[in-house]
Each structure stands twice: as structure tokens, then as C-alpha cells.
Amino acid sequence: MVLDEMTSQTPRHPTPTGPLTPESLVPRLGDALVERKLITPGQLEDALQRQGELRQGGRKVLLGRILVEMGAINQETLDRIVTEQILQLRNALEDSNRQLEIRVQLRTQELRSALDRLSELTRLKSNFIANISHELRTPLTHLTGYVDLLSTQDLGPLTPDQAQAVQVMQKAAERLDHLIQDLIQFSLVERGDIQAVLQPVNFLQACSHPVEAAHQKATAKGILFTSMLPEEEIIVLADEEKIEWVISQLLDNAIKFTPPGGMVQLTCRADDTFLHISVSDTGIGIPPGKLEEVFEPFHQLDGSSTRRYGGTGLGLTLAKKIVEAHQGSISIESEPGKGSTFSFSLTIIQNTI
Ligand code: ADP
């Protein structure tokens, strides 16, 4: 270290953007020498004046050297003071680093406990949803049992008006059961309990029930439903029950959000590795900026549509999680007023052409 380099009287505020000089490392060395009574204020002033004169003459000489040359201080003392100053600065820097570390640790702890609390609340909420759903299911099972007995006239003949009323009750009970099932599934997902048991599944068989149900619902609403399924048997790697649920969910939505006179289509196309499944409709569509939102739990795009179309806003959240548990993802293409297409893929194990 060339200590002499560090002996200049530095400006009070070295410019932070300027080059890093020894002066900027040992600010106000002249003042430090005066404070320790190693030079007098008068000597400092003389030295500064001499430095100014030299600078005007085009020479840059550091203050320390001038003080040594003036005989105000010897080189050894100067070196010692500069070293002390540097050590002081280093200690101050280390101190401030330690303080910073402590503050970071405190903040991290606070965030960690806030996160723990949040996880605990989420767990409680999921448990609550799971419990309440199971509790709701038990009386509903009794209701549907008796309504079924009424509708089959096992409990006695019904007048046409009574039969009509029982049919309405049956439909309402079915909807309620659907909502409760969504809630139970959702609480499982929230608790991380959703596990797809992947095994070979005959795809045509898995979608036969959703296709049949979609035909009935679409026809009842005056919608044309078509399905374009592969003619040959295709075996995919899937959790049959869950994938059946996803297909039903996408078809239900397509029918729900398509007005009478519209069209809904289920298409499956196989390539060498994947079976690509899409559900398209000519319904109300989704605005481009809202495509991600539809996957958020309890999210329905427009409050008025909730009242008009019903639902919990959980269907797509669950469908996404299930497809992800199959190492896939759901994509959406949609145009407001024109319709939507929801697609995902499953891995083919065997294609029996
Ligand atoms: P739910 O249908 O019970 O409201 P979902 O999670 O299935 O819940 O869907 C979330 C929202 O995404 C719906 O409320 C609707 O606003 C929008 N959406 C889903 N499917 C369609 C579709 N095929 N066409 C238009 N909007 C849709």
C-alpha cells in the first residue's frame, strides 16, 4: 500500500460516481490529524493552501506528502493514522453488514411465520370445506333416495303435476350433488391430496359416459352436439375416473355457455405419442385478457353470468390440476361472441390400428 497516496484532504462528499481513490477511502484525513493534535489547524490550512497553489501550477500533490515535506508530521505517523482510519472504516462497514444481516433475518422470520399462519388458515379452510361438503351430502342422499322412490311411483301413483314437481326436485338435487362433489374435489386439491393413479385406460370407453350425457343435455337445450372420436381403440396413460370428470366438466361448460341453436364438439386426434382432446363451442367466448383467470378457484368471469349460468367457479381449477397430475396442461383459444376451445393431451400407450 502506498500510504502517501492517501494523504490528501478529501472533499467532504466524494462524488459517488467518481473513480475509487485512496482519498475516498480515507475521507477528511487532515481533520483527523488535527483532532488527534498531530498537526495544528494552522499547519493544515498552510498545507491546503500549498496544495491549492501547486494545483494551479498544474501539479497534483497529495496533502499528506505536503505535510511531510513541511515537516508538520513524519511519514511513519502519517502511515499509522491512514492505516487506523482504514481499519475504522472497515469496522464500520462490517458493523453495518452485521446490522443488515440481522434485519434480513428478522424480516425472513416474520415472513416465515406469516406464511405458516397462512398455510394453517388455508388448511383450516380446506378442512372446513371438506367437512361441510360431507355433512351436506348425507341429508342430500336421503332426499334423492326418496325423490327417486317418488318418481318411480314406488310410493304410490302421482298426478301429472306431482310427477312434474318431482322431476324438478330431481334435477335440483342432481345440481346440488354436482356442486358438493366439486367442493369435495377442491378441498382434496387444496390439501394436496389429488393424486392421479395413472394406468392404461381405454379412452373410448372413458369418454362414453360424458359423451352420452352431453348428447342429452345439448339436445335438451337445443344445441347441436357432435363428437369426432377415433374409430380404433386407443389406450392412454390416465386416471380413468378423473379424466372422465375433466371431459364431462369441459362439455358441461361448453353447453352451459352456448346459447340454444349453437354447436358443441368433442374432437380427439391421435399422433404417434399423444391423444389431443378438444372441446369447442360456439358460445359466449372469453375475452383475451381473462383466459388465465378462468382457472382461478371460485372465479367466474362476470357476476351476472354466475346468476344466469350457475356453477361454483371450481370446475376449471380442478380440471387444470387433474390434467397437470397427468403431466399435461389445458390450453384455451377463445373469441368473445364466437366461442371457445379447451384442449389437453394424454400420452398414448398403445394404438391398436
Ligand atoms: P363454473 O362453470 O362453475 O362457473 P368453471 O371453473 O368451470 O366454473 O369456469 C370458470 C369460469 O370460466 C366460468 O364461470 C365462465 O365465466 C368461464 N368459462 C368456462 N368455460 C367457458 C366456456 N366454454 N365459454 C365461456 N366461458 C367459459
Side-chain angles (χ1 to χ4, degrees):
M1 177 169 62
V2 186
L3 291 181
D4 197 35
E5 285 296 307
M6 305 182 175
T7 56
S8 172
Q9 176 73 351
T10 57
R12 265 169 209 279
H13 301 289
T15 40
T17 49
L20 186 68
T21 61
E23 286 85 349
S24 64
L25 287 175
V26 186
R28 310 205 48 76
L29 178 70
D31 287 346
L33 293 170
V34 173
E35 271 161 32
R36 287 159 179 254
K37 298 197 180 359
L38 292 167
I39 59 170
T40 64
Q43 283 174 320
L44 175 59
E45 216 157 282
D46 290 348
L48 284 171
Q49 199 180 338
R50 176 87 188 112
Q51 192 183 37
E53 286 163 8
L54 289 170
R55 196 170 288 146
Q56 274 183 356
R59 284 185 61 204
K60 272 191 187 167
V61 183
L62 298 170
L63 187 71
R65 176 172 300 224
I66 297 171
L67 283 165
V68 172
E69 278 172 10
M70 280 168 52
I73 191 168
N74 64 35
Q75 185 67 48
E76 206 181 309
T77 314
L78 184 68
D79 287 354
R80 183 169 52 78
I81 298 301
V82 170
T83 310
E84 275 176 18
Q85 293 282 97
I86 289 178
L87 286 176
Q88 264 180 25
L89 283 171
R90 198 188 65 183
N91 290 344
L93 197 65
E94 281 175 0
D95 254 12
S96 108
N97 275 348
R98 265 195 297 277
Q99 296 293 338
L100 203 65
E101 249 168 55
I102 291 172
R103 276 172 58 190
V104 168
Q105 270 174 12
L106 279 174
R107 289 280 174 281
T108 313
Q109 254 171 26
E110 280 169 21
L111 283 176
R112 198 167 290 141
S113 47
L115 205 63
D116 285 351
R117 181 90 194 106
L118 205 63
S119 311
E120 174 65 5
L121 285 175
T122 309
R123 199 185 58 77
L124 287 174
K125 186 194 71 185
S126 303
N127 282 353
F128 171 74
I129 295 178
N131 292 343
I132 202 87
S133 317
H134 283 292
E135 289 304 317
L136 285 171
R137 212 169 202 188
T138 316
L140 185 64
T141 313
H142 290 129
L143 281 174
T144 41
Y146 282 113
V147 170
D148 286 350
L149 283 177
L150 283 172
S151 77
T152 51
Q153 314 220 0
D154 283 359
L155 298 179
L158 297 176
T159 66
D161 280 353
Q162 286 168 338
Q164 165 79 14
V166 167
Q167 214 178 10
V168 172
M169 283 160 75
Q170 244 172 343
K171 280 233 157 65
E174 254 171 47
R175 266 181 49 207
L176 208 52
D177 188 51
H178 199 81
L179 295 181
I180 291 171
Q181 273 193 40
D182 276 7
L183 283 173
I184 291 175
Q185 289 280 353
F186 175 72
S187 59
L188 291 179
V189 170
E190 282 274 278
R191 288 194 302 202
D193 288 350
I194 199 149
Q195 274 156 9
V197 182
L198 303 183
Q199 46 195 17
V201 167
N202 178 338
F203 183 75
L204 289 180
Q205 204 173 300
C207 60
S208 68
H209 176 68
V211 165
E212 202 185 300
H215 258 301
Q216 281 177 12
K217 287 179 196 163
T219 309
K221 198 175 167 183
I223 289 171
L224 177 66
F225 172 67
T226 48
S227 55
M228 291 178 60
L229 300 171
E231 305 222 322
E232 68 281 11
E233 192 174 81
I234 288 191
I235 309 293
V236 290
L237 191 63
D239 184 317
E240 181 162 2
E241 207 181 305
K242 293 200 169 66
I243 281 303
E244 195 181 315
W245 187 92
V246 171
I247 296 169
S248 297
Q249 182 62 38
L250 295 181
L251 287 172
D252 279 358
N253 275 354
I255 294 167
K256 186 158 73 171
F257 295 106
T258 299
M263 286 187 290
V264 168
Q265 187 171 52
L266 169 69
T267 315
C268 302
R269 186 180 53 79
D271 62 23
D272 287 345
T273 328
F274 294 109
L275 180 66
H276 305 281
I277 301 138
S278 340
V279 174
S280 336
D281 63 61
T282 57
I284 60 170
I286 300 167
K290 307 260 177 179
L291 292 175
E292 279 304 308
E293 281 180 31
V294 297
F295 292 112
E296 288 168 17
F298 303 109
H299 205 96
Q300 296 178 311
L301 289 188
D302 142 32
S304 69
S305 84
T306 310
R307 284 187 292 279
R308 208 168 343 140
Y309 299 107
T312 52
L314 285 176
L316 287 178
T317 310
L318 295 171
K320 181 171 184 270
K321 298 271 182 200
I322 292 173
V323 171
E324 280 170 359
H326 285 73
Q327 276 84 50
S329 60
I330 296 193
S331 62
I332 315 178
E333 280 171 46
S334 188
E335 209 180 313
K338 290 256 164 80
S340 316
T341 301
F342 288 75
S343 317
F344 67 96
S345 306
L346 294 173
T347 308
I348 295 178
I349 309 182
Q350 188 195 330
N351 196 343
T352 57
I353 306 178

